Amino acid sequence: MLQETAKAAWEYGRKFLMQGKVADYIPELGKANPVYLGLCIKTPDGKTIEYGDVEERFSMQSISKVVALATALQHLGFDTVFSHVMMEPSGDAFNSILKLDTASNRPFNPMINAGAIEIVNLLAPTFKFEQLLDFTRAICMDDDITLNEAVYHSEYNTGDRNRAIGYLLKSKEVLEGDVLQTVDLYFKLCSMNVTARSLAGLGLILANGGVDPRNGVRLLSAQTVRTVKTLMLTCGCYDGSGEFAVRVGLPAKSGVGGGIMSCVEGQMGIGTYGPALDEKGNSIGGKNTLEYFSRAMHLHIFDSERE
Ligand code: GLU
């Protein structure tokens, strides 16, 4: 049942690819092939179900905001983190500066650029990129994650909007220290090269309450996982998060590289890769694959008809 539904969902998702567009505001991302679509599902008992382009590597982009937030919650604690960022959906685009300058000094949430840059600023005095990369490998169950140098350089060369966000935060005395170093670390985290499989691995750790089901090792506390999943549900798909929650009803985080990482409580981690994006920046193939899959399997968190 799981296998057939996953295949049908992937086939359904493929139908939408031509309606999407690959991101090119970071020039290197523009080289991705819009016809790719991969779906990987991992379950706690060690099963992996996958279709399509699951071995293709692509940059994690905004999905790294989950790693940064989880690390900050683990090491700095809930109160410190949320004294620097809020937990509200912004309703604006991921890279918007609007509300930051008009409505609040603190960024609206850790899933948009301003919030993530603030979180990275909190991590920067303690963590080197290599340590965060190692932790990403562990929570994605993928030792082969590396820095995608081409994407990193491309983002570095075109990332002035993110630098502007950093300077605005500094001018409001929300961000401390060196803006350029903070944003550089943020660019590197966005440029970690994953696959749909690695995203399914991260989803599985979150679905499993922070414990790696292969060996029982706890990588994240239960409270960290609960907070991260809630913010994924409310803010994980940019200004498309509300519609995604209604249609799919699962916590998810998307990235402009084409990935979506999602999870089903206690049951599975799901990773999709499809670089053709909708107008909000969410993978159009991934989003539709997840909608079909969630509906067919009754996985929506508020679905009363369980399988
Ligand atoms: N590195 C991207 C940026 O900051 C991340 C955006 C995203 O995936 O939403 O513009």
Side-chain angles (χ1 to χ4, degrees):
M1 170 69 181
L2 183 61
Q3 187 126 12
E4 294 83 68
T5 312
K7 182 158 191 259
W10 172 74
E11 280 166 353
Y12 177 79
R14 289 173 76 193
K15 296 187 187 146
F16 294 85
L17 297 179
M18 288 306 148
Q19 294 172 31
K21 199 176 158 305
V22 167
D24 56 7
Y25 76 99
I26 298 170
E28 195 63 25
L29 296 182
K31 296 184 180 165
N33 189 340
V35 304
Y36 282 151
L37 183 63
L39 166 66
C40 178
I41 296 168
K42 282 180 183 286
T43 63
D45 59 0
K47 253 193 239 110
T48 299
I49 294 166
E50 45 192 30
Y51 292 99
D53 304 291
V54 291
E55 283 178 5
E56 201 58 39
R57 293 237 162 229
F58 57 95
S59 56
M60 203 175 192
Q61 295 300 332
S62 258
I63 304 167
S64 67
K65 293 174 166 96
V66 168
V67 178
L69 173 62
T71 309
L73 286 167
Q74 288 294 120
H75 293 274
L76 307 169
F78 185 94
D79 293 340
T80 303
V81 166
F82 291 108
S83 65
H84 287 84
V85 293
M86 299 195 290
M87 3 178 156
E88 301 304 332
S90 72
D92 294 326
F94 65 95
N95 58 1
S96 176
I97 244 164
L98 267 180
K99 289 210 173 70
L100 199 56
D101 206 27
T102 53
S104 158
N105 286 343
R106 271 183 306 156
F108 262 61
N109 69 70
M111 299 294 171
I112 53 170
N113 288 13
I117 289 169
E118 180 63 23
I119 297 283
V120 170
N121 182 248
L122 297 176
L123 295 176
T126 318
F127 292 94
K128 298 237 171 312
F129 169 67
E130 285 66 28
Q131 292 168 283
L132 297 170
L133 175 61
D134 271 345
F135 184 58
T136 307
R137 289 175 176 149
I139 53 170
C140 290
M141 304 180 172
D142 178 359
D143 291 339
D144 296 327
I145 298 175
T146 52
L147 176 68
N148 183 329
E149 298 274 353
V151 170
Y152 164 62
H153 288 297
S154 189
E155 187 152 355
Y156 183 92
N157 291 332
T158 54
D160 286 332
R161 192 175 179 88
N162 286 323
R163 293 186 184 94
I165 290 175
Y167 281 113
L168 185 58
L169 288 168
K170 181 147 189 186
S171 77
K172 290 164 174 286
E173 297 175 1
V174 177
L175 185 146
E176 284 171 15
D178 192 310
V179 171
L180 295 181
Q181 267 175 18
T182 293
V183 177
D184 190 55
L185 180 55
Y186 167 82
F187 291 153
K188 284 189 173 149
L189 293 173
C190 289
S191 305
M192 291 186 292
N193 232 4
V194 294
T195 63
R197 273 183 199 150
S198 351
L199 298 184
L202 175 53
L204 178 59
I205 301 280
L206 296 177
N208 204 39
V211 174
D212 184 335
R214 296 172 303 180
N215 49 23
V217 172
R218 178 168 288 286
L219 296 171
L220 298 169
S221 76
Q223 195 199 353
T224 292
V225 171
R226 191 181 68 170
T227 305
V228 167
K229 283 191 287 204
T230 312
L231 285 163
M232 284 166 59
L233 184 71
T234 53
C235 313
C237 293
Y238 313 118
D239 44 337
S241 300
E243 183 172 347
F244 191 94
V246 171
R247 289 184 183 279
V248 181
L250 294 173
K253 182 73 200 91
S254 62
V256 293
I260 302 182
M261 181 273 293
S262 183
C263 58
V264 183
E265 206 57 19
Q267 293 186 50
M268 64 189 94
I270 311 173
T272 61
Y273 170 54
L277 309 180
D278 68 11
E279 68 291 346
K280 305 257 162 100
N282 295 306
S283 165
I284 197 157
K287 179 180 92 167
N288 282 287
T289 299
L290 287 164
E291 183 177 347
Y292 182 105
F293 186 65
S294 168
R295 193 180 325 116
M297 298 287 295
H298 302 290
L299 298 174
H300 193 298
I301 52 170
F302 298 120
D303 203 331
S304 45
E305 243 184 280
R306 292 276 168 220
E307 276 300 301

